[in-house]
Amino acid sequence: MRAGKPITVQYGGKYWYLSRGGITEDLSHGLVVNSVELNSCVVNAAEHSIYAYNDDIKNGYMTLQGGVRLGICGEVITDNLKIITVKNYSAVNIRIPHEIRGFANGIMSDIVAKNCSALILSPPGGGKTTLLRDIARQLSDAGRNVLIVDERGEIACCSDGVPSMDVGARTDVYTGGSKKHAIECGIRAMRPDVIVTDEIFGDEDAEILREAVGSGISVIASAHASDPASFAKRAFYTKLKNYGVFAAMYFIAFSDKGRRIIAYDGGGGSNGG
Amino acid sequence: MADKAILTVAFCCVGAVIGYMFGSRLKKRSQYFADIDDFLRGFIGSLDCSMDTVPEIMAAHSSGSELLKNQLEACRKSIGNGTAPELAQGFLTKAEYALVNDTLSGLGKLSSDGERKNTENKRRKLEEFGKRASEKYAKLGRPSVKLGFLAGLLVSVLCW
């Protein structure tokens, strides 16, 4: 939803507009939302408790019950360069999670053969979180202790501490906080065999994953990338490669026939799909 | 003579009852403002620690005032429905009701610092209304039964 623009819906890899009669390809019938309605949307989503969600709002998102995520754009208010809050919302992006059981079937034997060490790549909206969720479930049900480090609550979608998604019978979930804190606490207290985490980014994440691997724990993670070649040019990827954090890499690619998971070795070379 | 005695007793009883009802109303008003002050202080306090949501705080608050209970319940339901709350006015004056409505329906729209300052500001304004209500209760509410009785007696004497 963008202020002053028709409401857009993405479904099945295609964009539509929301009209009074449902979704349509006709822009002229699209319902237009104004800034007051956008504000109401955010306030209502926060159960009239913006202060309780302010830390997330400062980071540009809110995670609601069931793992629904609201991405928020607006005016950032700062005080001496410290972000206080975001107001005057200009756009809200609502992402609804879903499970696809069996999504990881094609790569599970490869993941297990490579000691459950894997990096999942795709552009935004590609299905990384959905794939991670299924991988966690399958590894957990196969007898491994899985620790999900779920910074934004999107993998397990916990509500009152209970996962809304099926993430397996032997899975522990840390929701919120930082990856570093969750992984440190998890390694000390939860005896994980595998750590599953979403959207790694930057040197701090690379360092903490290195610590986890150094403790004898496998890591399965995801990262944004338009393609493996461009991801390989990023500085923190070089660190991950040098630390030997991941034995395998998978890229979720879109084609006319739908999604395809292409396997690469940890060095970035393709093994086909 | 007996008629006058019965008339006097009747007027005194009616006067006492009216006095009691008047005193009750003043007591409820005083209780209401004490309760809403308690609620807002609790809400401000939660901003520093538990960060509970507005509906959670409203549901957890136990109030002696029936009017405040109903208002918090209406607010809580409206938040759940995403609609504007319709609060009962009860014994509140127009100005009091406008401030209460603005306060309760405006909770939770700011970051914690802004919320704290805004809510404290409104709490202080409501505190002024509360002071007047409790002063009025102290002056007129407590002796209201006696005053009603005496008023009834006066009316009956005038009627003799």
Side-chain angles (χ1 to χ4, degrees):
Chain A
M1 295 188 287
R2 300 176 176 94
K5 302 280 191 297
I7 299 171
T8 327
V9 177
Q10 190 210 5
Y11 183 75
K14 214 178 150 188
Y15 283 93
W16 312 77
Y17 300 103
L18 185 67
S19 70
R20 290 199 188 282
I23 55 175
T24 176
E25 289 178 322
D26 188 350
L27 173 66
S28 64
H29 287 134
L31 292 168
V32 175
V33 64
N34 60 38
S35 53
V36 170
E37 286 162 334
L38 273 185
N39 188 66
S40 291
C41 173
V42 176
V43 169
N44 287 337
E47 295 179 273
H48 273 249
S49 309
I50 293 287
Y51 56 86
Y53 289 84
N54 200 51
D55 283 346
D56 289 345
I57 290 173
K58 285 192 291 189
N59 290 326
Y61 71 92
M62 282 167 53
T63 305
L64 310 179
Q65 270 197 6
V68 175
R69 185 168 75 173
L70 250 68
I72 298 168
C73 275
E75 187 184 331
V76 177
I77 307 300
T78 59
D79 180 16
N80 284 332
L81 299 178
K82 184 182 161 195
I83 298 174
I84 306 296
T85 190
V86 176
K87 64 174 192 178
N88 298 334
Y89 311 114
S90 58
V92 169
N93 180 28
I94 303 172
R95 291 179 63 170
I96 301 169
H98 60 287
E99 284 183 282
I100 302 178
R101 294 170 74 91
F103 188 22
N105 284 354
I107 58 172
M108 279 313 294
S109 54
D110 195 43
I111 285 175
V112 172
K114 289 184 175 140
N115 200 31
C116 302
S117 160
L119 178 63
I120 314 291
L121 302 177
S122 90
K128 297 183 292 298
T129 307
T130 308
L131 184 59
L132 279 180
R133 190 180 293 128
D134 197 49
I135 292 170
R137 179 186 66 80
Q138 294 201 37
L139 289 176
S140 178
D141 288 345
R144 288 175 181 79
N145 285 338
V146 174
L147 174 67
I148 294 180
V149 175
D150 203 355
E151 265 183 315
R152 278 188 288 273
E154 293 177 307
I155 305 175
C157 306
C158 286
S159 178
D160 291 334
V162 178
S164 306
M165 302 286 176
D166 184 2
V167 289
R170 293 172 62 161
T171 301
D172 306 307
V173 185
Y174 264 108
T175 303
S178 70
K179 279 194 185 64
K180 184 173 184 296
H181 177 258
I183 290 174
E184 282 173 354
C185 292
I187 290 172
R188 285 189 199 120
M190 304 309 293
R191 200 228 164 278
D193 298 315
V194 182
I195 289 175
V196 173
T197 189
D198 211 356
E199 296 188 15
I200 57 171
F201 180 89
D203 289 349
E204 190 182 280
D205 286 351
E207 290 299 329
I208 193 61
L209 293 182
R210 177 197 189 189
E211 292 297 321
V213 169
S215 305
I217 299 163
S218 304
V219 176
I220 300 178
S222 70
H224 285 304
S226 54
D227 58 76
S230 57
F231 182 75
K233 291 175 189 164
R234 290 165 68 177
F236 96 97
Y237 169 73
T238 308
K239 273 197 173 176
L240 290 172
K241 194 175 157 191
N242 292 342
Y243 296 156
V245 175
F246 300 112
M249 197 155 63
Y250 302 93
F251 180 70
I252 306 174
F254 290 91
S255 70
D256 293 337
K257 293 173 190 171
R259 287 188 175 95
R260 222 164 50 104
I261 302 173
I262 305 169
Y264 292 79
D265 60 34
S270 170
N271 294 334
Chain B
M1 188 64 189
D3 293 346
K4 282 182 185 172
I6 292 168
L7 192 68
T8 304
V9 167
F11 272 118
C12 288
C13 286
V14 167
V17 166
I18 292 172
Y20 174 77
M21 286 167 62
F22 179 70
S24 267
R25 185 183 163 89
L26 292 181
K27 187 179 180 185
K28 280 180 188 171
R29 279 178 51 81
S30 177
Q31 166 93 58
Y32 173 86
F33 284 106
D35 272 357
I36 197 169
D37 186 75
D38 196 41
F39 167 74
L40 292 174
R41 282 181 192 271
F43 175 75
I44 292 166
S46 81
L47 296 174
D48 288 326
C49 43
S50 60
M51 287 279 195
D52 291 331
T53 62
V54 169
E56 283 169 348
I57 297 168
M58 286 181 172
H61 181 76
S62 72
S63 171
S65 165
E66 203 59 39
L67 178 60
L68 183 61
K69 253 190 232 170
N70 292 340
Q71 288 175 337
L72 293 180
E73 184 60 26
C75 254
R76 209 172 56 80
K77 280 187 179 158
S78 74
I79 288 171
N81 297 336
T83 54
E86 289 176 17
L87 305 183
Q89 183 172 348
F91 43 66
L92 299 173
T93 64
K94 266 190 186 166
E96 291 164 354
Y97 177 68
L99 182 56
V100 165
N101 199 16
D102 186 43
T103 304
L104 293 182
S105 61
L107 289 175
K109 292 184 178 172
L110 303 171
S111 62
S112 37
D113 279 346
E115 192 67 42
R116 195 177 292 113
K117 286 174 191 163
N118 186 50
T119 308
E120 178 60 26
N121 188 34
K122 288 186 179 158
R123 189 198 67 75
R124 285 183 199 276
K125 288 180 184 172
L126 283 168
E127 198 177 38
E128 286 305 313
F129 285 130
K131 272 184 194 156
R132 277 181 240 157
S134 57
E135 278 164 14
K136 201 169 180 183
Y137 172 65
K139 210 190 275 184
L140 298 174
R142 287 202 180 108
S144 58
V145 174
K146 287 179 200 163
L147 289 172
F149 180 87
L150 289 172
L153 185 60
L154 178 64
V155 168
S156 69
V157 166
L158 292 172
C159 290
W160 284 352

